[in-house]
mmCIF file of all heavy atoms in Angstrom:
data_model
loop_
_atom_site.group_PDB
_atom_site.id
_atom_site.type_symbol
_atom_site.label_atom_id
_atom_site.label_comp_id
_atom_site.label_asym_id
_atom_site.label_seq_id
_atom_site.Cartn_x
_atom_site.Cartn_y
_atom_site.Cartn_z
ATOM 1 N N PHE A 1 11.677 7.268 12.381
ATOM 2 C CA PHE A 1 10.535 7.727 11.589
ATOM 3 C C PHE A 1 9.588 6.561 11.273
ATOM 4 O O PHE A 1 9.585 5.549 11.973
ATOM 5 C CB PHE A 1 10.977 8.453 10.323
ATOM 6 C CG PHE A 1 11.733 9.726 10.597
ATOM 7 C CD1 PHE A 1 13.045 9.879 10.183
ATOM 8 C CD2 PHE A 1 11.138 10.777 11.277
ATOM 9 C CE1 PHE A 1 13.739 11.046 10.438
ATOM 10 C CE2 PHE A 1 11.825 11.949 11.537
ATOM 11 C CZ PHE A 1 13.130 12.088 11.115
ATOM 12 N N GLY A 2 8.789 6.706 10.235
ATOM 13 C CA GLY A 2 7.757 5.706 9.993
ATOM 14 C C GLY A 2 7.780 5.148 8.585
ATOM 15 O O GLY A 2 8.094 5.853 7.627
ATOM 16 N N ALA A 3 7.454 3.874 8.489
ATOM 17 C CA ALA A 3 7.224 3.231 7.197
ATOM 18 C C ALA A 3 6.052 2.268 7.312
ATOM 19 O O ALA A 3 5.909 1.365 6.506
ATOM 20 C CB ALA A 3 8.480 2.503 6.727
ATOM 21 N N GLY A 4 5.235 2.479 8.341
ATOM 22 C CA GLY A 4 4.101 1.591 8.547
ATOM 23 C C GLY A 4 3.151 1.569 7.375
ATOM 24 O O GLY A 4 2.692 0.506 6.950
ATOM 25 N N LEU A 5 2.851 2.753 6.822
ATOM 26 C CA LEU A 5 1.968 2.822 5.661
ATOM 27 C C LEU A 5 2.586 2.083 4.480
ATOM 28 O O LEU A 5 1.889 1.347 3.760
ATOM 29 C CB LEU A 5 1.685 4.281 5.298
ATOM 30 C CG LEU A 5 0.896 4.527 4.008
ATOM 31 C CD1 LEU A 5 -0.466 3.845 4.049
ATOM 32 C CD2 LEU A 5 0.739 6.020 3.739
ATOM 33 N N TYR A 6 3.879 2.260 4.267
ATOM 34 C CA TYR A 6 4.547 1.608 3.136
ATOM 35 C C TYR A 6 4.493 0.078 3.269
ATOM 36 O O TYR A 6 4.216 -0.636 2.300
ATOM 37 C CB TYR A 6 6.000 2.069 3.045
ATOM 38 C CG TYR A 6 6.178 3.541 2.740
ATOM 39 C CD1 TYR A 6 7.407 4.167 2.934
ATOM 40 C CD2 TYR A 6 5.123 4.313 2.256
ATOM 41 C CE1 TYR A 6 7.582 5.519 2.646
ATOM 42 C CE2 TYR A 6 5.279 5.661 1.975
ATOM 43 C CZ TYR A 6 6.515 6.258 2.175
ATOM 44 O OH TYR A 6 6.682 7.583 1.889
ATOM 45 N N ILE A 7 4.769 -0.418 4.477
ATOM 46 C CA ILE A 7 4.716 -1.867 4.691
ATOM 47 C C ILE A 7 3.272 -2.364 4.566
ATOM 48 O O ILE A 7 3.024 -3.448 4.017
ATOM 49 C CB ILE A 7 5.292 -2.216 6.072
ATOM 50 C CG1 ILE A 7 6.768 -1.818 6.161
ATOM 51 C CG2 ILE A 7 5.119 -3.709 6.357
ATOM 52 C CD1 ILE A 7 7.687 -2.577 5.237
ATOM 53 N N HIS A 8 2.330 -1.559 5.052
ATOM 54 C CA HIS A 8 0.904 -1.917 4.955
ATOM 55 C C HIS A 8 0.490 -2.037 3.486
ATOM 56 O O HIS A 8 -0.260 -2.949 3.113
ATOM 57 C CB HIS A 8 0.075 -0.855 5.668
ATOM 58 C CG HIS A 8 -1.259 -1.317 6.142
ATOM 59 N ND1 HIS A 8 -1.464 -2.531 6.760
ATOM 60 C CD2 HIS A 8 -2.483 -0.717 6.084
ATOM 61 C CE1 HIS A 8 -2.744 -2.655 7.072
ATOM 62 N NE2 HIS A 8 -3.382 -1.580 6.670
ATOM 63 N N ILE A 9 1.001 -1.129 2.659
ATOM 64 C CA ILE A 9 0.725 -1.197 1.221
ATOM 65 C C ILE A 9 1.295 -2.492 0.643
ATOM 66 O O ILE A 9 0.624 -3.196 -0.130
ATOM 67 C CB ILE A 9 1.321 0.028 0.501
ATOM 68 C CG1 ILE A 9 0.561 1.303 0.883
ATOM 69 C CG2 ILE A 9 1.296 -0.168 -1.019
ATOM 70 C CD1 ILE A 9 1.214 2.581 0.387
ATOM 71 N N ALA A 10 2.536 -2.827 1.013
ATOM 72 C CA ALA A 10 3.165 -4.055 0.514
ATOM 73 C C ALA A 10 2.355 -5.279 0.920
ATOM 74 O O ALA A 10 2.175 -6.212 0.123
ATOM 75 C CB ALA A 10 4.589 -4.153 1.043
ATOM 76 N N GLU A 11 1.845 -5.281 2.147
ATOM 77 C CA GLU A 11 1.032 -6.410 2.600
ATOM 78 C C GLU A 11 -0.258 -6.534 1.802
ATOM 79 O O GLU A 11 -0.702 -7.649 1.478
ATOM 80 C CB GLU A 11 0.718 -6.252 4.095
ATOM 81 C CG GLU A 11 1.939 -6.406 4.981
ATOM 82 C CD GLU A 11 1.689 -6.020 6.416
ATOM 83 O OE1 GLU A 11 0.727 -5.257 6.676
ATOM 84 O OE2 GLU A 11 2.447 -6.473 7.300
ATOM 85 N N HIS A 12 -0.861 -5.408 1.453
ATOM 86 C CA HIS A 12 -2.095 -5.456 0.658
ATOM 87 C C HIS A 12 -1.814 -5.853 -0.791
ATOM 88 O O HIS A 12 -2.684 -6.436 -1.446
ATOM 89 C CB HIS A 12 -2.829 -4.116 0.742
ATOM 90 C CG HIS A 12 -3.641 -3.976 1.989
ATOM 91 N ND1 HIS A 12 -4.928 -4.446 2.097
ATOM 92 C CD2 HIS A 12 -3.337 -3.451 3.192
ATOM 93 C CE1 HIS A 12 -5.385 -4.206 3.309
ATOM 94 N NE2 HIS A 12 -4.441 -3.601 4.000
ATOM 95 N N ILE A 13 -0.637 -5.534 -1.293
ATOM 96 C CA ILE A 13 -0.251 -6.010 -2.624
ATOM 97 C C ILE A 13 -0.181 -7.542 -2.616
ATOM 98 O O ILE A 13 -0.654 -8.198 -3.549
ATOM 99 C CB ILE A 13 1.096 -5.385 -3.041
ATOM 100 C CG1 ILE A 13 0.901 -3.900 -3.390
ATOM 101 C CG2 ILE A 13 1.700 -6.135 -4.229
ATOM 102 C CD1 ILE A 13 2.192 -3.155 -3.677
ATOM 103 N N ILE A 14 0.405 -8.106 -1.564
ATOM 104 C CA ILE A 14 0.469 -9.565 -1.443
ATOM 105 C C ILE A 14 -0.944 -10.148 -1.367
ATOM 106 O O ILE A 14 -1.278 -11.115 -2.068
ATOM 107 C CB ILE A 14 1.285 -9.965 -0.200
ATOM 108 C CG1 ILE A 14 2.737 -9.495 -0.333
ATOM 109 C CG2 ILE A 14 1.234 -11.483 0.005
ATOM 110 C CD1 ILE A 14 3.556 -9.660 0.934
ATOM 111 N N GLU A 15 -1.784 -9.557 -0.507
ATOM 112 C CA GLU A 15 -3.160 -10.048 -0.350
ATOM 113 C C GLU A 15 -3.961 -9.927 -1.643
ATOM 114 O O GLU A 15 -4.880 -10.715 -1.891
ATOM 115 C CB GLU A 15 -3.866 -9.270 0.760
ATOM 116 C CG GLU A 15 -3.300 -9.523 2.150
ATOM 117 C CD GLU A 15 -3.930 -8.610 3.192
ATOM 118 O OE1 GLU A 15 -4.902 -7.894 2.843
ATOM 119 O OE2 GLU A 15 -3.446 -8.601 4.341
ATOM 120 N N ASN A 16 -3.595 -8.956 -2.466
ATOM 121 C CA ASN A 16 -4.307 -8.702 -3.715
ATOM 122 C C ASN A 16 -3.730 -9.501 -4.878
ATOM 123 O O ASN A 16 -4.004 -9.215 -6.041
ATOM 124 C CB ASN A 16 -4.266 -7.205 -4.025
ATOM 125 C CG ASN A 16 -5.466 -6.731 -4.822
ATOM 126 O OD1 ASN A 16 -6.570 -7.256 -4.670
ATOM 127 N ND2 ASN A 16 -5.253 -5.742 -5.677
ATOM 128 N N GLY A 17 -2.916 -10.514 -4.581
ATOM 129 C CA GLY A 17 -2.329 -11.319 -5.634
ATOM 130 C C GLY A 17 -1.357 -10.551 -6.502
ATOM 131 O O GLY A 17 -1.207 -10.840 -7.692
ATOM 132 N N TYR A 18 -0.678 -9.556 -5.916
ATOM 133 C CA TYR A 18 0.303 -8.702 -6.592
ATOM 134 C C TYR A 18 -0.324 -7.797 -7.648
ATOM 135 O O TYR A 18 0.379 -7.247 -8.497
ATOM 136 C CB TYR A 18 1.454 -9.522 -7.180
ATOM 137 C CG TYR A 18 2.419 -9.982 -6.109
ATOM 138 C CD1 TYR A 18 2.196 -11.160 -5.403
ATOM 139 C CD2 TYR A 18 3.531 -9.221 -5.783
ATOM 140 C CE1 TYR A 18 3.069 -11.578 -4.404
ATOM 141 C CE2 TYR A 18 4.412 -9.631 -4.789
ATOM 142 C CZ TYR A 18 4.173 -10.808 -4.105
ATOM 143 O OH TYR A 18 5.034 -11.211 -3.104
ATOM 144 N N ALA A 19 -1.632 -7.633 -7.585
ATOM 145 C CA ALA A 19 -2.291 -6.598 -8.390
ATOM 146 C C ALA A 19 -2.321 -5.308 -7.581
ATOM 147 O O ALA A 19 -2.277 -5.331 -6.342
ATOM 148 C CB ALA A 19 -3.707 -7.036 -8.755
ATOM 149 N N LEU A 20 -2.387 -4.170 -8.281
ATOM 150 C CA LEU A 20 -2.407 -2.887 -7.585
ATOM 151 C C LEU A 20 -3.703 -2.734 -6.794
ATOM 152 O O LEU A 20 -4.794 -2.808 -7.367
ATOM 153 C CB LEU A 20 -2.293 -1.737 -8.584
ATOM 154 C CG LEU A 20 -0.929 -1.493 -9.236
ATOM 155 C CD1 LEU A 20 -1.062 -0.455 -10.337
ATOM 156 C CD2 LEU A 20 0.086 -1.034 -8.210
ATOM 157 N N PRO A 21 -3.629 -2.514 -5.476
ATOM 158 C CA PRO A 21 -4.852 -2.222 -4.715
ATOM 159 C C PRO A 21 -5.338 -0.801 -5.022
ATOM 160 O O PRO A 21 -4.539 0.056 -5.390
ATOM 161 C CB PRO A 21 -4.401 -2.356 -3.267
ATOM 162 C CG PRO A 21 -2.937 -2.087 -3.290
ATOM 163 C CD PRO A 21 -2.430 -2.555 -4.628
ATOM 164 N N GLU A 22 -6.626 -0.571 -4.877
ATOM 165 C CA GLU A 22 -7.166 0.762 -5.137
ATOM 166 C C GLU A 22 -7.110 1.647 -3.899
ATOM 167 O O GLU A 22 -6.869 2.846 -3.986
ATOM 168 C CB GLU A 22 -8.612 0.667 -5.640
ATOM 169 C CG GLU A 22 -8.730 0.073 -7.037
ATOM 170 C CD GLU A 22 -10.151 0.163 -7.574
ATOM 171 O OE1 GLU A 22 -10.997 0.818 -6.933
ATOM 172 O OE2 GLU A 22 -10.409 -0.429 -8.635
ATOM 173 N N THR A 23 -7.362 1.036 -2.727
ATOM 174 C CA THR A 23 -7.424 1.792 -1.476
ATOM 175 C C THR A 23 -6.673 1.036 -0.394
ATOM 176 O O THR A 23 -6.704 -0.194 -0.351
ATOM 177 C CB THR A 23 -8.881 2.011 -1.047
ATOM 178 O OG1 THR A 23 -9.590 2.668 -2.091
ATOM 179 C CG2 THR A 23 -8.962 2.874 0.211
ATOM 180 N N ILE A 24 -6.011 1.770 0.487
ATOM 181 C CA ILE A 24 -5.308 1.174 1.615
ATOM 182 C C ILE A 24 -6.098 1.507 2.880
ATOM 183 O O ILE A 24 -6.222 2.679 3.251
ATOM 184 C CB ILE A 24 -3.872 1.715 1.726
ATOM 185 C CG1 ILE A 24 -3.128 1.505 0.394
ATOM 186 C CG2 ILE A 24 -3.134 1.042 2.875
ATOM 187 C CD1 ILE A 24 -3.043 0.069 -0.048
ATOM 188 N N PRO A 25 -6.646 0.505 3.560
ATOM 189 C CA PRO A 25 -7.476 0.766 4.735
ATOM 190 C C PRO A 25 -6.631 1.076 5.959
ATOM 191 O O PRO A 25 -5.417 0.872 5.986
ATOM 192 C CB PRO A 25 -8.230 -0.559 4.907
ATOM 193 C CG PRO A 25 -7.292 -1.586 4.376
ATOM 194 C CD PRO A 25 -6.551 -0.929 3.239
ATOM 195 N N GLY A 26 -7.313 1.564 7.001
ATOM 196 C CA GLY A 26 -6.674 1.772 8.288
ATOM 197 C C GLY A 26 -6.282 3.200 8.571
ATOM 198 O O GLY A 26 -6.264 3.633 9.722
ATOM 199 N N TYR A 27 -5.940 3.957 7.534
ATOM 200 C CA TYR A 27 -5.537 5.350 7.696
ATOM 201 C C TYR A 27 -6.724 6.236 7.356
ATOM 202 O O TYR A 27 -7.005 6.484 6.174
ATOM 203 C CB TYR A 27 -4.321 5.654 6.813
ATOM 204 C CG TYR A 27 -3.084 4.896 7.250
ATOM 205 C CD1 TYR A 27 -2.872 3.580 6.851
ATOM 206 C CD2 TYR A 27 -2.151 5.486 8.093
ATOM 207 C CE1 TYR A 27 -1.752 2.865 7.271
ATOM 208 C CE2 TYR A 27 -1.020 4.782 8.522
ATOM 209 C CZ TYR A 27 -0.833 3.473 8.105
ATOM 210 O OH TYR A 27 0.284 2.775 8.530
ATOM 211 N N THR A 28 -7.438 6.686 8.379
ATOM 212 C CA THR A 28 -8.750 7.346 8.351
ATOM 213 C C THR A 28 -9.841 6.310 8.073
ATOM 214 O O THR A 28 -9.559 5.198 7.586
ATOM 215 C CB THR A 28 -8.847 8.502 7.331
ATOM 216 O OG1 THR A 28 -8.946 7.967 6.009
ATOM 217 C CG2 THR A 28 -7.676 9.447 7.434
ATOM 218 N N ALA A 29 -11.055 6.688 8.392
ATOM 219 C CA ALA A 29 -12.179 5.751 8.285
ATOM 220 C C ALA A 29 -12.382 5.253 6.865
ATOM 221 O O ALA A 29 -12.776 4.099 6.647
ATOM 222 C CB ALA A 29 -13.450 6.416 8.804
ATOM 223 N N GLU A 30 -12.122 6.102 5.874
ATOM 224 C CA GLU A 30 -12.334 5.721 4.481
ATOM 225 C C GLU A 30 -11.108 5.089 3.842
ATOM 226 O O GLU A 30 -11.165 4.632 2.695
ATOM 227 C CB GLU A 30 -12.741 6.953 3.648
ATOM 228 C CG GLU A 30 -14.000 7.663 4.121
ATOM 229 C CD GLU A 30 -13.731 8.611 5.274
ATOM 230 O OE1 GLU A 30 -12.552 9.006 5.455
ATOM 231 O OE2 GLU A 30 -14.682 8.938 6.006
ATOM 232 N N GLY A 31 -9.976 5.064 4.556
ATOM 233 C CA GLY A 31 -8.740 4.624 3.938
ATOM 234 C C GLY A 31 -8.175 5.699 3.037
ATOM 235 O O GLY A 31 -8.723 6.806 2.924
ATOM 236 N N VAL A 32 -7.077 5.388 2.366
ATOM 237 C CA VAL A 32 -6.439 6.367 1.480
ATOM 238 C C VAL A 32 -6.260 5.756 0.099
ATOM 239 O O VAL A 32 -6.059 4.543 -0.037
ATOM 240 C CB VAL A 32 -5.078 6.832 2.040
ATOM 241 C CG1 VAL A 32 -5.270 7.607 3.327
ATOM 242 C CG2 VAL A 32 -4.138 5.660 2.272
ATOM 243 N N PRO A 33 -6.340 6.589 -0.949
ATOM 244 C CA PRO A 33 -6.132 6.054 -2.310
ATOM 245 C C PRO A 33 -4.705 5.541 -2.471
ATOM 246 O O PRO A 33 -3.757 6.133 -1.945
ATOM 247 C CB PRO A 33 -6.384 7.275 -3.208
ATOM 248 C CG PRO A 33 -7.065 8.286 -2.353
ATOM 249 C CD PRO A 33 -6.614 8.031 -0.956
ATOM 250 N N PHE A 34 -4.565 4.446 -3.203
ATOM 251 C CA PHE A 34 -3.212 3.991 -3.524
ATOM 252 C C PHE A 34 -2.806 4.603 -4.856
ATOM 253 O O PHE A 34 -3.144 4.100 -5.922
ATOM 254 C CB PHE A 34 -3.128 2.471 -3.593
ATOM 255 C CG PHE A 34 -1.738 1.991 -3.958
ATOM 256 C CD1 PHE A 34 -0.652 2.373 -3.190
ATOM 257 C CD2 PHE A 34 -1.516 1.191 -5.056
ATOM 258 C CE1 PHE A 34 0.635 1.960 -3.506
ATOM 259 C CE2 PHE A 34 -0.236 0.763 -5.381
ATOM 260 C CZ PHE A 34 0.837 1.146 -4.607
ATOM 261 N N ALA A 35 -2.093 5.724 -4.769
ATOM 262 C CA ALA A 35 -1.611 6.398 -5.965
ATOM 263 C C ALA A 35 -0.101 6.576 -5.932
ATOM 264 O O ALA A 35 0.467 7.235 -6.806
ATOM 265 C CB ALA A 35 -2.291 7.766 -6.101
ATOM 266 N N TYR A 36 0.544 6.004 -4.923
ATOM 267 C CA TYR A 36 1.998 6.087 -4.840
ATOM 268 C C TYR A 36 2.661 5.344 -5.999
ATOM 269 O O TYR A 36 2.154 4.313 -6.449
ATOM 270 C CB TYR A 36 2.496 5.446 -3.542
ATOM 271 C CG TYR A 36 2.225 6.224 -2.284
ATOM 272 C CD1 TYR A 36 1.161 5.892 -1.449
ATOM 273 C CD2 TYR A 36 3.041 7.290 -1.909
ATOM 274 C CE1 TYR A 36 0.919 6.594 -0.276
ATOM 275 C CE2 TYR A 36 2.812 7.997 -0.749
ATOM 276 C CZ TYR A 36 1.752 7.641 0.066
ATOM 277 O OH TYR A 36 1.512 8.345 1.225
ATOM 278 N N PRO A 37 3.808 5.837 -6.472
ATOM 279 C CA PRO A 37 4.595 5.018 -7.406
ATOM 280 C C PRO A 37 4.903 3.671 -6.748
ATOM 281 O O PRO A 37 5.350 3.621 -5.596
ATOM 282 C CB PRO A 37 5.863 5.859 -7.611
ATOM 283 C CG PRO A 37 5.428 7.268 -7.346
ATOM 284 C CD PRO A 37 4.413 7.165 -6.248
ATOM 285 N N PRO A 38 4.689 2.562 -7.441
ATOM 286 C CA PRO A 38 4.593 1.268 -6.748
ATOM 287 C C PRO A 38 5.872 0.441 -6.637
ATOM 288 O O PRO A 38 5.858 -0.590 -5.965
ATOM 289 C CB PRO A 38 3.590 0.523 -7.634
ATOM 290 C CG PRO A 38 3.870 1.031 -9.016
ATOM 291 C CD PRO A 38 4.262 2.481 -8.856
ATOM 292 N N LEU A 39 6.977 0.839 -7.281
ATOM 293 C CA LEU A 39 8.108 -0.066 -7.423
ATOM 294 C C LEU A 39 8.595 -0.635 -6.090
ATOM 295 O O LEU A 39 8.700 -1.849 -5.904
ATOM 296 C CB LEU A 39 9.266 0.636 -8.143
ATOM 297 C CG LEU A 39 10.555 -0.188 -8.288
ATOM 298 C CD1 LEU A 39 10.311 -1.454 -9.105
ATOM 299 C CD2 LEU A 39 11.664 0.656 -8.909
ATOM 300 N N MET A 40 8.917 0.244 -5.134
ATOM 301 C CA MET A 40 9.509 -0.225 -3.893
ATOM 302 C C MET A 40 8.505 -0.934 -2.994
ATOM 303 O O MET A 40 8.900 -1.712 -2.114
ATOM 304 C CB MET A 40 10.188 0.924 -3.155
ATOM 305 C CG MET A 40 11.436 1.439 -3.867
ATOM 306 S SD MET A 40 12.611 0.141 -4.391
ATOM 307 C CE MET A 40 13.051 -0.598 -2.831
ATOM 308 N N PHE A 41 7.223 -0.694 -3.212
ATOM 309 C CA PHE A 41 6.221 -1.456 -2.465
ATOM 310 C C PHE A 41 6.194 -2.905 -2.955
ATOM 311 O O PHE A 41 5.992 -3.835 -2.160
ATOM 312 C CB PHE A 41 4.849 -0.816 -2.602
ATOM 313 C CG PHE A 41 4.819 0.622 -2.150
ATOM 314 C CD1 PHE A 41 4.365 1.623 -2.979
ATOM 315 C CD2 PHE A 41 5.271 0.970 -0.883
ATOM 316 C CE1 PHE A 41 4.345 2.944 -2.565
ATOM 317 C CE2 PHE A 41 5.269 2.289 -0.449
ATOM 318 C CZ PHE A 41 4.803 3.277 -1.297
ATOM 319 N N TYR A 42 6.418 -3.089 -4.256
ATOM 320 C CA TYR A 42 6.516 -4.456 -4.775
ATOM 321 C C TYR A 42 7.793 -5.130 -4.301
ATOM 322 O O TYR A 42 7.803 -6.323 -3.980
ATOM 323 C CB TYR A 42 6.440 -4.444 -6.302
ATOM 324 C CG TYR A 42 5.020 -4.444 -6.811
ATOM 325 C CD1 TYR A 42 4.344 -3.247 -7.043
ATOM 326 C CD2 TYR A 42 4.336 -5.634 -7.043
ATOM 327 C CE1 TYR A 42 3.030 -3.236 -7.487
ATOM 328 C CE2 TYR A 42 3.024 -5.646 -7.491
ATOM 329 C CZ TYR A 42 2.375 -4.438 -7.712
ATOM 330 O OH TYR A 42 1.078 -4.444 -8.140
ATOM 331 N N VAL A 43 8.885 -4.377 -4.231
ATOM 332 C CA VAL A 43 10.127 -4.935 -3.692
ATOM 333 C C VAL A 43 9.918 -5.341 -2.229
ATOM 334 O O VAL A 43 10.316 -6.439 -1.810
ATOM 335 C CB VAL A 43 11.278 -3.921 -3.807
ATOM 336 C CG1 VAL A 43 12.521 -4.412 -3.061
ATOM 337 C CG2 VAL A 43 11.611 -3.657 -5.274
#
């Protein structure tokens, strides 16, 4: 199965200085809102 989006979110958390990103790019032209519960993305 897939976890590409989840890993992509984790990478953007790192790029964002561990602050919550608002949007995750790459998935559709506009990207997708980051509204997932964040715990495991930080892990």
Side-chain angles (χ1 to χ4, degrees):
F1 296 118
L5 174 59
Y6 295 165
I7 297 295
H8 204 43
I9 291 171
E11 292 170 338
H12 279 274
I13 287 174
I14 297 171
E15 293 173 8
N16 209 33
Y18 284 86
L20 287 172
E22 291 188 8
T23 303
I24 305 301
Y27 294 83
T28 75
E30 302 82 20
V32 294
F34 179 56
Y36 287 100
L39 177 61
M40 291 311 299
F41 303 125
Y42 275 90
V43 171

